[in-house]
Amino acid sequence: MMLLLIAAAVQAATPAKTVPGDTTKAPATLGPIGKQAMPARGCAAYLWSTGDRTLVAMATADSARLRLAVDGKPVDYARVDEAGPGGYGFAGVTTYRGGDLTVALDMTIVTREDLASGAMVPNATLRLERPGRDTIVLPVAGMIGCV
């Protein structure tokens, strides 16, 4: 009897194997954007995934763009709306759009005395919406740098 209980516990603790075509896991839609330069002028928010610390987004205040790598392709999306208090040329919530993708960036901006020409973004989310697909919400954090 004890052997059956141990076998059942080991089986429950063993992760399920993923098989090709398995639809139980969400697709990795948002990928790394790689190293990004500072803008020529103004401010940029650099945002990392809180899970694996991968740089997944860069928003620029002056050009009003958001760079993401959706489905492995880096693309800049134009700002279409903004609301709420923010700082450094950014709103608290900014919406970007391109093609059939709508992205909402909701971020908290915190000024620190030990940072010259920038601020911290301790809490933020990226919400990706496409017609006919699941909405993806990714927690991110990062920094704002200004030229």
Side-chain angles (χ1 to χ4, degrees):
M1 181 70 166
M2 183 64 112
L3 188 57
L4 286 174
L5 290 174
I6 292 172
V10 168
Q11 184 178 11
T14 304
K17 293 180 182 175
T18 303
V19 295
D22 184 3
T23 58
T24 60
K25 294 191 175 205
T29 301
L30 195 60
I33 60 171
K35 187 177 178 179
Q36 301 293 310
M38 288 289 291
R41 64 172 204 196
C43 298
Y46 300 88
L47 302 167
W48 291 268
S49 163
T50 58
D52 62 7
R53 307 263 188 232
T54 300
L55 182 63
V56 295
M58 180 183 84
T60 54
D62 280 356
S63 65
R65 301 248 174 228
L66 175 71
R67 178 168 296 150
L68 300 173
V70 177
D71 297 329
K73 300 172 189 168
V75 177
D76 287 349
Y77 298 91
R79 180 176 64 207
V80 293
D81 193 23
E82 57 186 347
Y88 298 87
F90 296 100
V93 179
T94 307
T95 304
Y96 302 88
R97 190 168 296 129
D100 68 343
L101 180 68
T102 300
V103 181
L105 170 58
D106 185 345
M107 63 180 171
T108 302
I109 299 169
V110 177
T111 302
R112 289 185 7 190
E113 289 183 24
D114 62 337
L115 289 176
S117 302
M120 297 300 297
V121 180
N123 300 303
T125 56
L126 286 167
R127 187 179 70 240
L128 287 75
E129 297 178 353
R130 291 191 271 188
R133 298 178 103 176
D134 289 341
T135 297
I136 296 171
V137 178
L138 179 68
V140 292
M143 295 182 73
I144 294 175
C146 303
V147 179

